[in-house]
Amino acid sequence: MLKIRLSTNLLPLCLLFSLTVFTSTRSEAQSIVIPVETQHNALVLQTDSSKYLGTVYFGKKLSKSSEYAQVKNQSKQTVDYTGMLNSVYTPSGSRNLLEPALTVTHSDGNNSADLTYVSHEVKKIDGNVSLISILLKDPAYNFNVTLFYKIYYKEDVIEQWSSIKHNEKGNVTLHKYASANLHLTGSAYYLNQYHGDWVKEMQPEESKLTHGIKTLDSKLGTRANLFQPSVFMVSVNKPATEDEGTVLFASLEYSGNFRTDLEVDYQDNLRIISGINNYASPYTLKPNEEFVTPIFLYTLSTQGKGVASRNLQNWARNYKLLDGKGTRLTLLNNWEATYFDFNESKLAGLLKDTKKLGVDLFLLDDGWFANKYPRNGDVAGLGDWEENKQKLPNGISSLVKEAQNNNVKFGIWIEPEMVNPKSMLYEKHPDWVIKQPKRDEHYFRNQLVLDLTNPKVQDFVFGVVDDLFTKNPALAYIKWDCNSVIFNAHSATLKNQNHFYIEYMRGLYNVLERIRAKYPKVPMMLCSGGGGRVDYAALQYFTEFWPSDNTDPLERIFMQWEYSYFYPAIASANHVTDWGKQPIKFRTDVAMMGKLGFDIVVNDLVANDLKFCQDAIKNYDTVKSIIWQGDQYRLSDPRSSNVASMLYINEQKSSGVIFNYLVSSRYGANSNLPVLLKGLDPAKNYKIQEINLYPGTTSTIKGDQIFSGDFLMKVGFNPDLNLVRTSVVLKVEESN
């Protein structure tokens, strides 16, 4: 008899998506079927006669759960040379001939692994979330792998990871240790991946996957997403559109080196294996030590990219993003107004500008610290977190008080993981720096990375944040930067250098855990000269991220469009700057499609520009809850149209806001066709009015007209964009 452990705290009937277990009636052996079901989809696992557990189905949920046991019989597979083609966690060195999820060297030197099903357990976490754990064991060794599937039923989201443990007589070496091993079937597969660089983040690239292995990976150590983000999409059979097609959205929740292998095998199946990049990282696992992999996140949609996107956005707000259901602060940043050149007098003026502009917070950026090697540029001072006495003789506390006198909050920039070689910290603790003892130092933005594998360095980085809050309890915001990748990976204190990249990330997460334990709600921006640090492991500790240093609003439309597939608008920090040639209205409208901020010289604004910004902030306050918490619908794609159009609508489908932009000026471009709306209630009536008008202009939109939701979704609405009206914001309201 195969033992199956089930939680005694059973789910209600409507949520039996993770508890249903079937035993086949085949005479040759008992077969266990484990359907991992969400509201609309099912991932079905089944054992064979040798207790090997494989994936037999991944797609739309069946009406009759009992029929999952018959799925395997309908498989198109003709010859499985190893019996492990669809393994849920493929080991290497035994019968497998394909890319493995697991590669080990046992304590006796044996380089093979084999995993068979032992038992599984289901735990109900709440009415929407459950956790399935499946124990697999090597029949020849005291070596176990437990697979975890955390199911978010309503959101159609699954988080998957693995735990590896053994009780052999000596150490085991893990050469590869994936988080997940998915198996998809179809006639063709299309990968939508992303690439980038500084100010060129989130560039999409779609291609058909051919036989062999396509690898998405990073070896940067930190800023892992700088060149190759870990997020991706896979369309099955044909490229998915916004509203049609089967598509998988996926990503590794990890801020360090990652690796995702996508292999089209000899049976035309797609195998996706994702986890920590095993590059330069064989891991020595001691007896009874547990190695837990990062989480691999995915959602499947059979109705196109829009549904998958909304699945992830809802999941993130409800379960992952720090304070995802909360509010955010609008701000004025001093960076582009002063760069490193400021003093208390200049900052006092900017604090008054913050109040005049009408935002919530003033953010002091880089350049406020260091004395022996003053931070007057990016070549010195990083690591010496003391107020610069020449610039700020009265310290940060005086600025916090001045902000309070102006009825605004105060935030500050830090980059605590990094150090300039020209700093007191480097002089005092050269052993705290990541560098090879026999190699020349290599710098990224004139700096090096601190060694977070060292507990003393962890204490130091935590102390940077803790000291700021201890001395300034009213401090209301942190902008946490990270501008370096890791060169010459080596720790002066780590005993096993093979563990360096993994221990570095453990050290970072340990610091962030400590910060959030003491300061659980303080807003923090995840910044790294762009999107090089954004992932859902990091966003557990941060309220928002900085998509790119490229704040040209035309470029930002494209970047924010791509980010929005994977991250909700409330997480995207968007600033109005002087980048680009577009007018202040266009720049502000684009920045409103997320968490609004400004990085401009307020005193340089002409009267009407200032008036527009002040009014726009007031308008933003009336619609920001819809932008942050509403459902997002992409109406017109800027990559295939002259017009970019994005709709956010509340859960009741009673109130929404549409952002419309002319992204091409060729041949007198305009919006000569109506934009089809989505997500409305066809039976409700709506009014559409233009908001965010520039002072002295009149809208061409007749705001007193009433349209049915059915009309707006089938016939559409023309925002009347042209070379004069390049940006139009429309408010949609239910009307009797």
Side-chain angles (χ1 to χ4, degrees):
M1 291 286 292
L2 293 178
K3 183 180 179 183
I4 304 172
R5 292 178 289 142
L6 295 177
S7 171
T8 56
N9 185 16
L10 296 180
L11 291 169
L13 182 62
C14 64
L15 292 179
L16 282 177
F17 56 95
S18 63
L19 282 174
T20 314
V21 179
F22 303 103
T23 304
S24 77
T25 57
R26 291 181 298 165
S27 58
E28 66 270 22
Q30 188 181 42
S31 178
I32 303 300
V33 180
I34 309 172
V36 182
E37 288 187 328
T38 61
Q39 186 175 9
H40 299 104
N41 304 317
L43 172 66
V44 183
L45 315 177
Q46 185 175 351
T47 60
D48 64 11
S49 58
S50 300
K51 299 184 183 178
Y52 290 110
L53 186 64
T55 302
V56 294
Y57 181 78
F58 191 16
K60 280 187 176 182
K61 184 168 62 174
L62 301 182
S63 299
K64 294 182 179 180
S65 297
S66 59
E67 291 190 313
Y68 288 128
Q70 303 176 36
V71 171
K72 192 173 183 181
N73 298 331
Q74 302 301 315
S75 173
K76 70 176 183 178
Q77 296 172 10
T78 55
V79 180
D80 182 354
Y81 295 106
T82 68
M84 303 187 72
L85 191 64
N86 62 342
S87 173
V88 295
Y89 199 73
T90 312
S92 68
S94 53
R95 296 183 300 154
N96 174 50
L97 301 176
L98 300 170
E99 183 64 28
L102 176 73
T103 303
V104 305
T105 299
H106 293 284
S107 60
D108 63 0
N110 191 311
N111 286 323
S112 68
D114 205 6
L115 296 172
T116 57
Y117 172 88
V118 177
S119 63
H120 77 276
E121 182 178 15
V122 181
K123 292 182 179 179
K124 175 187 174 183
I125 297 175
D126 59 35
N128 186 54
V129 183
S130 68
L131 179 66
I132 297 178
S133 58
I134 304 172
L135 178 61
L136 307 176
K137 187 179 185 304
D138 191 318
Y141 288 89
N142 198 344
F143 181 93
N144 301 329
V145 174
T146 303
L147 304 180
F148 294 92
Y149 298 81
K150 194 171 185 180
I151 305 154
Y152 301 86
Y153 183 76
K154 293 179 183 177
E155 292 81 9
D156 283 323
V157 166
I158 297 174
E159 289 186 305
Q160 185 177 341
W161 68 97
S162 61
S163 169
I164 304 170
K165 195 172 182 179
H166 75 92
N167 195 18
E168 298 183 21
K169 292 182 179 180
N171 295 336
V172 168
T173 302
L174 305 179
H175 301 284
K176 192 174 183 184
Y177 28 84
S179 298
N181 186 168
L182 297 187
H183 184 271
L184 287 77
T185 60
S187 59
Y189 310 95
Y190 295 84
L191 172 67
N192 195 334
Q193 66 184 92
Y194 294 88
H195 64 91
D197 197 352
W198 182 71
V199 304
K200 299 176 183 177
E201 290 84 1
M202 289 299 284
Q203 302 297 307
E205 192 170 32
E206 187 167 51
S207 59
K208 183 177 181 180
L209 288 170
T210 57
H211 290 81
I213 299 176
K214 169 78 173 184
T215 298
L216 311 178
D217 77 333
S218 174
K219 304 179 183 71
L220 304 181
T222 183
R223 292 200 69 182
N225 294 323
L226 178 63
F227 305 137
Q228 176 74 71
S230 60
V231 295
F232 65 94
M233 312 175 192
V234 172
S235 300
V236 181
N237 299 327
K238 61 180 181 180
T241 64
E242 191 68 23
D243 303 302
E244 294 181 345
T246 298
V247 62
L248 179 82
F249 280 26
S251 178
L252 191 69
E253 297 180 29
Y254 193 61
S255 310
N257 294 344
F258 65 85
R259 172 177 168 178
T260 299
D261 295 315
L262 302 104
E263 180 176 21
V264 180
D265 64 30
Y266 62 90
Q267 290 280 2
D268 303 325
N269 306 300
L270 176 62
R271 305 169 72 253
I272 302 175
I273 299 174
S274 186
I276 295 175
N277 197 335
N278 54 335
Y279 159 76
S281 299
Y283 191 88
T284 302
L285 190 67
K286 299 175 182 177
N288 283 320
E289 179 187 357
E290 184 180 23
F291 184 93
V292 180
T293 69
I295 293 170
F296 183 64
L297 165 73
Y298 51 97
T299 184
L300 183 71
S301 165
T302 58
Q303 301 176 65
K305 298 177 182 178
V307 167
S309 172
R310 289 185 288 277
N311 288 346
L312 278 186
Q313 291 175 359
N314 287 331
W315 167 83
R317 289 189 295 256
N318 290 331
Y319 296 103
K320 189 62 63 166
L321 174 65
L322 183 66
D323 198 25
K325 301 296 287 185
T327 187
R328 296 293 186 270
L329 298 168
T330 53
L331 60 81
L332 174 66
N333 194 356
N334 75 298
W335 179 244
E336 296 201 12
T338 67
Y339 295 99
F340 293 100
D341 182 19
F342 57 82
N343 54 34
E344 285 184 353
S345 177
K346 277 188 180 181
L347 296 181
L350 292 174
L351 282 164
K352 290 182 173 61
D353 288 343
T354 306
K355 176 64 175 177
K356 180 168 66 174
L357 187 62
V359 293
D360 302 315
L361 177 138
F362 172 76
L363 173 61
L364 175 60
D365 213 292
D366 196 356
W368 58 268
F369 52 91
N371 288 290
K372 182 178 180 180
Y373 303 105
R375 184 69 169 174
N376 296 321
D378 67 4
V379 298
L382 199 60
D384 300 343
W385 300 102
E386 56 188 11
E387 294 101 329
N388 181 277
K389 295 177 181 178
Q390 185 174 357
K391 294 180 182 179
L392 305 176
N394 296 301
I396 296 297
S397 59
S398 67
L399 296 174
V400 175
K401 291 177 182 177
E402 184 67 18
Q404 291 174 323
N405 292 338
N406 283 277
N407 295 316
V408 295
K409 298 179 184 295
F410 186 86
I412 199 165
W413 177 98
I414 57 173
E415 192 174 4
E417 301 163 67
M418 307 297 165
V419 63
N420 286 128
K422 194 174 182 180
S423 68
M424 291 192 300
L425 180 67
Y426 184 87
E427 291 176 346
K428 186 177 180 181
H429 295 290
D431 58 320
W432 283 12
V433 177
I434 295 172
K435 57 179 181 176
Q436 290 280 359
K438 296 183 180 180
R439 305 293 180 190
D440 292 338
E441 292 180 356
H442 294 283
Y443 307 126
F444 199 101
R445 204 194 179 213
N446 304 304
Q447 61 195 54
L448 294 165
V449 183
L450 292 176
D451 179 13
L452 284 172
T453 72
N454 185 340
K456 292 181 180 179
V457 176
Q458 295 175 31
D459 290 341
F460 170 80
V461 174
F462 170 78
V464 172
V465 179
D466 191 40
D467 288 348
L468 280 169
F469 283 114
T470 300
K471 295 174 182 176
N472 308 284
L475 191 65
Y477 187 89
I478 294 288
K479 180 181 179 182
W480 185 307
D481 215 339
C482 171
N483 285 307
S484 292
V485 301
I486 293 177
F487 294 123
N488 290 334
H490 178 85
S491 166
T493 58
L494 191 64
K495 292 182 179 179
N496 188 339
Q497 296 299 322
N498 290 333
H499 292 188
F500 173 80
Y501 285 114
I502 293 171
E503 292 297 340
Y504 175 85
M505 291 313 307
R506 288 175 175 173
L508 174 61
Y509 292 145
N510 180 54
V511 171
L512 294 173
E513 286 280 356
R514 291 173 62 187
I515 290 171
R516 281 310 179 191
K518 191 168 184 180
Y519 307 102
K521 291 294 185 180
V522 175
M524 292 204 307
M525 179 203 292
L526 186 64
C527 181
S528 58
R533 282 287 287 277
V534 57
D535 64 86
Y536 277 117
L539 285 176
Q540 296 175 95
Y541 308 105
F542 292 84
T543 50
E544 58 222 56
F545 71 92
W546 183 237
S548 176
D549 276 353
N550 187 342
T551 52
D552 182 310
L554 187 60
E555 296 293 342
R556 270 298 188 107
I557 289 172
F558 291 84
M559 287 183 184
Q560 291 169 199
W561 189 278
E562 301 301 333
Y563 274 117
S564 75
Y565 282 113
F566 301 94
Y567 304 102
I570 191 173
S572 180
N574 307 331
H575 291 183
V576 180
T577 74
D578 288 330
W579 282 49
K581 300 178 181 179
Q582 291 76 17
I584 190 71
K585 171 175 165 52
F586 193 104
R587 286 180 272 150
T588 304
D589 290 351
V590 172
M592 284 174 64
M593 298 169 63
K595 202 226 75 169
L596 176 64
F598 291 81
D599 199 341
I600 56 176
V601 183
V602 175
N603 277 339
D604 288 351
L605 295 175
V606 298
N608 274 348
D609 281 2
L610 175 60
K611 179 67 164 58
F612 169 78
C613 290
Q614 292 168 332
D615 291 344
I617 292 166
K618 294 175 183 176
N619 283 327
Y620 181 69
D621 286 340
T622 68
V623 297
K624 64 186 180 184
S625 63
I626 302 172
I627 297 169
W628 295 346
Q629 303 297 337
D631 290 328
Q632 182 183 58
Y633 291 87
R634 297 168 198 83
L635 307 181
S636 181
D637 190 335
R639 297 187 186 279
S640 57
S641 169
N642 293 333
V643 173
S645 185
M646 185 84 79
L647 164 68
Y648 303 86
I649 190 160
N650 65 4
E651 185 179 0
Q652 297 77 25
K653 301 184 182 297
S654 61
S655 185
V657 57
I658 312 172
F659 293 91
N660 306 274
Y661 310 98
L662 192 68
V663 295
S664 172
S665 59
R666 299 183 68 197
Y667 309 120
N670 57 55
S671 55
N672 57 0
L673 294 175
V675 175
L676 297 179
L677 275 60
K678 304 173 186 177
L680 305 181
D681 184 335
K684 288 183 177 180
N685 291 323
Y686 297 92
K687 280 186 178 180
I688 297 180
Q689 297 178 310
E690 184 173 357
I691 62 172
N692 253 32
L693 288 165
Y694 190 81
T697 62
T698 302
S699 175
T700 61
I701 304 297
K702 297 180 180 179
D704 57 350
Q705 289 183 300
I706 296 176
F707 306 90
S708 70
D710 183 61
F711 178 93
L712 292 171
M713 291 190 290
K714 292 178 178 176
V715 177
F717 188 89
N718 194 329
D720 193 23
L721 290 162
N722 53 56
L723 295 179
V724 176
R725 286 170 50 86
T726 57
S727 174
V728 173
V729 182
L730 302 172
K731 192 169 184 179
V732 181
E733 292 285 352
E734 183 180 355
S735 178
N736 296 326

